Amino acid sequence: MDLLQNTVQPYDWGSLTLLPELMGVPPTGVPQAELWMGAHPAAPSRLRKGEAVVSLDRLISEDPEGELGAATVRRFGPRLPFLVKLLAADAPLSVQVHPDLAQAQAGFRRENALGVPLGAPHRNYRDDQHKPEMIVALTPFRGLCGFRAPEDCADLLDSLRVPSLRPYSEALRAVPGAQALAEVFRAFLRPPGGLVDAVARALAATTGSGVSAVDAYAGIARACPRDPGLLSALMLRYVELAPGEALFLGAGVPHAYLSGLGVEIMASSDNVLRCGLTSKHVDADELAGVVRFGAPPTRVLTPREVGGEEVYPAPVDDFRLSRYVLRGGGPPRPLALDAPQIVLCTEGAVTVSSAGETLRLAPGSSVYLRAGAEAALRGDGTAFRATTGTALGCR
């Protein structure tokens, strides 16, 4: 059992205050977007072993089965298959989509064969893994997720009263559902000159409309002026999460987070194809083969009680996320699993005890438990447990 030292990513879209407020520390004046917990090579967590500080990825590489358990190594190889983050957004993230496993493996092989450097800005596939993810809101959380129904999208476009949008709204009504979405989405990736500015001006005129979705799109236009991704964003469903509610984002589902603080868990991968609201590479042709235009609407999730913990269901085995709402004086909650775990405190104060040692966690702090560790959780607060989806045979 080890207390983790984690890296904060200062991306431009991050909040100045949300993470400091959670952790009870002064703001730095720099955006604090994500706090990473895991063994991703870009920013692995660190832990103290005696007098030395070692990274979690190095610790795992030196004894994969001891740290991860034999079952995890057989299923995922000698690596931690999940990454946990505290995500704090104060501006729109890019509209993005993730490939499925077969697409990631094929794309990674193809770009390797072409000699595209792993760090090249125009590279689409930086590893051979898929990247399903889940976000659980800690504060009111806003985002875009999945496509609107074609007729709803057409109604929105018409409501803006931009004449040059009319051909797109007509196509959305005239062509069968998934085909209509595909045609218009692809066209919006390469819009004609002047269309983005015209839409941005129309959205500016709607500010304060009292319609949450429209106000959200207007906010995107202000935050990302002249970005063609504004048009793609108009095709996506606006979603608001209350604290404790969650979204699961599978392969091919376009999405963008807009604001709020949440716990995010994902398969440990860097495969992101961007559709807009970004200065980074947008590969319209590759996107056309990855986006799932006929996917059903993404549902807002709530946890279900399973053996004393609240589990957020996810249809993948790369990760499993659950929540403990603890009350002082309550019984200890056992944490023993034959799989690696990360326990994160998000409210109050909790303790994790193992092998005669007790670690106290404040909001924003986390602990790593190697496979087979006998541990127990106590306290008066809220903690999230991340492990593999195969650990308890429960998704």
Side-chain angles (χ1 to χ4, degrees):
M1 179 176 70
D2 297 279
L3 192 66
L4 293 178
Q5 302 172 25
N6 301 310
T7 297
V8 173
Q9 304 285 15
Y11 305 139
D12 289 345
W13 50 261
S15 169
L16 294 172
T17 59
L18 286 172
L19 274 177
E21 286 174 357
L22 177 82
M23 301 173 73
V25 297
T28 63
V30 174
Q32 298 186 48
E34 295 178 344
L35 180 71
W36 286 28
M37 291 157 275
H40 193 287
S45 298
R46 303 166 303 283
L47 38 87
R48 183 170 293 279
K49 291 294 184 183
E51 295 300 314
V53 174
V54 300
S55 65
L56 184 54
D57 58 340
R58 176 185 166 188
L59 187 72
I60 290 170
S61 69
E62 292 174 349
D63 184 12
E65 287 203 4
E67 295 297 330
L68 305 176
T72 299
V73 174
R74 282 196 303 272
R75 172 64 183 86
F76 301 103
R79 63 185 187 89
L80 189 68
F82 60 86
L83 175 66
V84 185
K85 300 178 182 179
L86 278 171
L87 183 148
D90 197 37
L93 282 68
S94 60
V95 177
Q96 58 189 259
V97 67
H98 306 302
D100 63 26
L101 188 58
Q103 290 166 336
Q105 291 172 342
F108 186 67
R109 288 194 302 269
R110 182 172 64 252
E111 292 186 332
N112 282 349
L114 291 171
V116 182
L118 277 177
H122 63 285
R123 177 141 188 160
N124 292 315
Y125 300 95
R126 302 184 186 280
D127 54 63
D128 61 355
Q129 298 296 318
H130 64 168
K131 193 184 178 185
E133 62 186 50
M134 177 183 287
I135 185 79
V136 179
L138 296 179
T139 67
F141 197 93
R142 302 159 65 246
L144 306 176
C145 178
F147 286 104
R148 288 170 162 266
E151 60 274 16
D152 291 343
C153 186
D155 289 344
L156 174 63
L157 298 185
D158 285 344
S159 73
L160 297 178
R161 302 184 185 280
V162 176
S164 49
L165 282 177
R166 179 57 64 86
Y168 304 102
S169 63
E170 289 177 347
L172 287 163
R173 292 192 172 95
V175 180
Q179 181 184 343
L181 292 172
E183 289 183 6
V184 174
F185 186 82
R186 290 167 182 160
F188 277 172
L189 292 174
R190 298 186 176 98
L195 180 58
V196 175
D197 286 341
V199 170
R201 288 194 298 271
L203 284 167
T206 70
T207 300
S209 69
V211 179
S212 296
V214 174
D215 286 347
Y217 300 128
I220 292 170
R222 290 193 301 273
C224 306
R226 295 177 295 282
D227 191 307
L230 172 62
L231 303 178
S232 302
L234 290 174
M235 299 186 69
L236 305 185
R237 288 194 315 130
Y238 173 69
V239 180
E240 293 182 346
L241 300 180
E245 294 181 332
L247 289 174
F248 172 81
L249 288 310
V253 178
H255 59 280
Y257 302 141
L258 302 179
S259 66
L261 176 67
V263 176
E264 187 179 34
I265 188 168
M266 62 188 64
S268 188
S269 168
D270 276 333
N271 285 326
V272 177
L273 284 87
R274 292 175 174 84
C275 315
L277 308 186
T278 181
S279 59
K280 295 183 179 179
H281 178 59
V282 175
D283 187 334
D285 294 329
E286 190 67 22
L287 278 167
V290 172
V291 174
R292 294 184 179 176
F293 297 99
T298 300
R299 296 182 297 110
V300 173
L301 303 174
T302 55
R304 66 171 184 260
E305 183 79 18
V306 179
E309 61 180 332
E310 298 175 329
V311 179
Y312 287 89
V316 295
D317 58 7
D318 305 76
F319 60 77
R320 178 184 187 272
L321 185 67
S322 59
R323 181 180 68 175
Y324 290 89
V325 179
L326 305 167
R327 295 291 174 259
R333 309 293 181 90
L335 296 175
L337 285 178
D338 188 22
Q341 302 178 71
I342 290 176
V343 178
L344 164 69
C345 176
T346 59
E347 183 182 16
V350 301
T351 62
V352 182
S353 301
S354 179
E357 180 185 11
T358 296
L359 294 178
R360 300 183 182 278
L361 303 183
S365 58
S366 55
V367 64
Y368 165 75
L369 296 164
R370 72 189 316 232
E374 296 285 340
L377 184 65
R378 294 179 176 86
D380 191 354
T382 302
F384 285 81
R385 172 164 77 157
T387 184
T388 67
T390 58
L392 296 173
C394 175
R395 297 181 187 173

PDB file of all heavy atoms in Angstrom, residues 12 45 69 89 114 141 160 194 198 218 265 288 291 314 359 366:
ATOM      1  N   ASP A  12      -4.926  24.441 -21.080  1.00  0.00           N
ATOM      2  CA  ASP A  12      -5.547  25.765 -21.132  1.00  0.00           C
ATOM      3  C   ASP A  12      -7.019  25.749 -20.734  1.00  0.00           C
ATOM      4  O   ASP A  12      -7.528  26.752 -20.218  1.00  0.00           O
ATOM      5  CB  ASP A  12      -5.426  26.347 -22.546  1.00  0.00           C
ATOM      6  CG  ASP A  12      -4.000  26.758 -22.891  1.00  0.00           C
ATOM      7  OD1 ASP A  12      -3.184  26.853 -21.955  1.00  0.00           O
ATOM      8  OD2 ASP A  12      -3.707  26.965 -24.078  1.00  0.00           O
ATOM      9  N   SER A  45       2.210   8.132 -11.765  1.00  0.00           N
ATOM     10  CA  SER A  45       2.243   8.466 -10.342  1.00  0.00           C
ATOM     11  C   SER A  45       3.561   7.980  -9.751  1.00  0.00           C
ATOM     12  O   SER A  45       4.203   7.053 -10.250  1.00  0.00           O
ATOM     13  CB  SER A  45       1.072   7.792  -9.617  1.00  0.00           C
ATOM     14  OG  SER A  45      -0.163   8.255 -10.110  1.00  0.00           O
ATOM     15  N   GLY A  69      -1.203  -8.963 -10.313  1.00  0.00           N
ATOM     16  CA  GLY A  69      -1.885 -10.252 -10.211  1.00  0.00           C
ATOM     17  C   GLY A  69      -1.801 -11.002 -11.529  1.00  0.00           C
ATOM     18  O   GLY A  69      -1.764 -10.403 -12.608  1.00  0.00           O
ATOM     19  N   ALA A  89     -12.781  21.248 -15.647  1.00  0.00           N
ATOM     20  CA  ALA A  89     -12.907  22.017 -16.888  1.00  0.00           C
ATOM     21  C   ALA A  89     -13.592  23.345 -16.636  1.00  0.00           C
ATOM     22  O   ALA A  89     -14.601  23.413 -15.932  1.00  0.00           O
ATOM     23  CB  ALA A  89     -13.695  21.222 -17.922  1.00  0.00           C
ATOM     24  N   LEU A 114       4.057   3.137 -42.163  1.00  0.00           N
ATOM     25  CA  LEU A 114       4.313   4.346 -42.943  1.00  0.00           C
ATOM     26  C   LEU A 114       5.470   5.171 -42.375  1.00  0.00           C
ATOM     27  O   LEU A 114       5.887   6.166 -42.974  1.00  0.00           O
ATOM     28  CB  LEU A 114       3.052   5.218 -42.992  1.00  0.00           C
ATOM     29  CG  LEU A 114       1.890   4.650 -43.818  1.00  0.00           C
ATOM     30  CD1 LEU A 114       0.637   5.496 -43.600  1.00  0.00           C
ATOM     31  CD2 LEU A 114       2.253   4.593 -45.298  1.00  0.00           C
ATOM     32  N   PHE A 141     -22.039  19.322 -13.828  1.00  0.00           N
ATOM     33  CA  PHE A 141     -21.092  19.060 -14.922  1.00  0.00           C
ATOM     34  C   PHE A 141     -21.827  19.165 -16.246  1.00  0.00           C
ATOM     35  O   PHE A 141     -22.932  18.644 -16.400  1.00  0.00           O
ATOM     36  CB  PHE A 141     -20.493  17.664 -14.755  1.00  0.00           C
ATOM     37  CG  PHE A 141     -19.240  17.414 -15.551  1.00  0.00           C
ATOM     38  CD1 PHE A 141     -17.994  17.632 -14.989  1.00  0.00           C
ATOM     39  CD2 PHE A 141     -19.305  16.950 -16.856  1.00  0.00           C
ATOM     40  CE1 PHE A 141     -16.828  17.409 -15.714  1.00  0.00           C
ATOM     41  CE2 PHE A 141     -18.155  16.731 -17.595  1.00  0.00           C
ATOM     42  CZ  PHE A 141     -16.909  16.946 -17.026  1.00  0.00           C
ATOM     43  N   LEU A 160     -31.435  29.099 -35.825  1.00  0.00           N
ATOM     44  CA  LEU A 160     -30.381  30.115 -35.875  1.00  0.00           C
ATOM     45  C   LEU A 160     -30.591  31.115 -37.002  1.00  0.00           C
ATOM     46  O   LEU A 160     -29.937  32.156 -37.039  1.00  0.00           O
ATOM     47  CB  LEU A 160     -29.014  29.440 -36.014  1.00  0.00           C
ATOM     48  CG  LEU A 160     -28.597  28.534 -34.852  1.00  0.00           C
ATOM     49  CD1 LEU A 160     -27.252  27.888 -35.133  1.00  0.00           C
ATOM     50  CD2 LEU A 160     -28.556  29.303 -33.540  1.00  0.00           C
ATOM     51  N   GLY A 194     -16.924  31.409 -44.410  1.00  0.00           N
ATOM     52  CA  GLY A 194     -17.909  32.316 -43.839  1.00  0.00           C
ATOM     53  C   GLY A 194     -18.989  31.655 -43.025  1.00  0.00           C
ATOM     54  O   GLY A 194     -19.681  32.343 -42.246  1.00  0.00           O
ATOM     55  N   ALA A 198     -20.758  33.108 -39.489  1.00  0.00           N
ATOM     56  CA  ALA A 198     -22.188  33.417 -39.517  1.00  0.00           C
ATOM     57  C   ALA A 198     -22.920  32.695 -38.394  1.00  0.00           C
ATOM     58  O   ALA A 198     -23.795  33.272 -37.722  1.00  0.00           O
ATOM     59  CB  ALA A 198     -22.779  33.024 -40.870  1.00  0.00           C
ATOM     60  N   ALA A 218     -23.655  28.770 -27.559  1.00  0.00           N
ATOM     61  CA  ALA A 218     -23.195  30.153 -27.647  1.00  0.00           C
ATOM     62  C   ALA A 218     -21.889  30.330 -26.866  1.00  0.00           C
ATOM     63  O   ALA A 218     -20.982  31.052 -27.299  1.00  0.00           O
ATOM     64  CB  ALA A 218     -24.267  31.102 -27.123  1.00  0.00           C
ATOM     65  N   ILE A 265     -12.309   7.902 -15.406  1.00  0.00           N
ATOM     66  CA  ILE A 265     -11.523   6.680 -15.517  1.00  0.00           C
ATOM     67  C   ILE A 265     -11.590   6.222 -16.951  1.00  0.00           C
ATOM     68  O   ILE A 265     -12.613   6.396 -17.630  1.00  0.00           O
ATOM     69  CB  ILE A 265     -12.028   5.590 -14.545  1.00  0.00           C
ATOM     70  CG1 ILE A 265     -11.067   4.392 -14.531  1.00  0.00           C
ATOM     71  CG2 ILE A 265     -13.464   5.169 -14.857  1.00  0.00           C
ATOM     72  CD1 ILE A 265     -11.319   3.412 -13.393  1.00  0.00           C
ATOM     73  N   ALA A 288     -14.202   9.754 -40.422  1.00  0.00           N
ATOM     74  CA  ALA A 288     -15.376   9.212 -41.100  1.00  0.00           C
ATOM     75  C   ALA A 288     -15.515   7.713 -40.886  1.00  0.00           C
ATOM     76  O   ALA A 288     -16.633   7.179 -40.875  1.00  0.00           O
ATOM     77  CB  ALA A 288     -15.304   9.530 -42.588  1.00  0.00           C
ATOM     78  N   VAL A 291     -16.225   7.363 -36.388  1.00  0.00           N
ATOM     79  CA  VAL A 291     -17.443   7.857 -35.746  1.00  0.00           C
ATOM     80  C   VAL A 291     -18.608   6.900 -36.026  1.00  0.00           C
ATOM     81  O   VAL A 291     -18.799   6.442 -37.154  1.00  0.00           O
ATOM     82  CB  VAL A 291     -17.793   9.271 -36.247  1.00  0.00           C
ATOM     83  CG1 VAL A 291     -19.136   9.722 -35.690  1.00  0.00           C
ATOM     84  CG2 VAL A 291     -16.703  10.246 -35.845  1.00  0.00           C
ATOM     85  N   ALA A 314     -20.129  -0.377 -16.427  1.00  0.00           N
ATOM     86  CA  ALA A 314     -19.420  -0.083 -17.679  1.00  0.00           C
ATOM     87  C   ALA A 314     -19.247  -1.394 -18.441  1.00  0.00           C
ATOM     88  O   ALA A 314     -18.836  -2.396 -17.852  1.00  0.00           O
ATOM     89  CB  ALA A 314     -18.061   0.538 -17.387  1.00  0.00           C
ATOM     90  N   LEU A 359      -3.064   4.773   6.287  1.00  0.00           N
ATOM     91  CA  LEU A 359      -2.834   6.011   5.549  1.00  0.00           C
ATOM     92  C   LEU A 359      -4.102   6.842   5.587  1.00  0.00           C
ATOM     93  O   LEU A 359      -5.195   6.334   5.337  1.00  0.00           O
ATOM     94  CB  LEU A 359      -2.459   5.712   4.100  1.00  0.00           C
ATOM     95  CG  LEU A 359      -1.125   5.001   3.876  1.00  0.00           C
ATOM     96  CD1 LEU A 359      -0.919   4.716   2.386  1.00  0.00           C
ATOM     97  CD2 LEU A 359       0.034   5.837   4.410  1.00  0.00           C
ATOM     98  N   SER A 366      -4.667  10.006  -2.910  1.00  0.00           N
ATOM     99  CA  SER A 366      -5.003   8.660  -3.356  1.00  0.00           C
ATOM    100  C   SER A 366      -3.937   7.678  -2.924  1.00  0.00           C
ATOM    101  O   SER A 366      -2.794   8.047  -2.619  1.00  0.00           O
ATOM    102  CB  SER A 366      -5.161   8.631  -4.883  1.00  0.00           C
ATOM    103  OG  SER A 366      -4.008   9.133  -5.524  1.00  0.00           O
TER     104      SER A 366
END
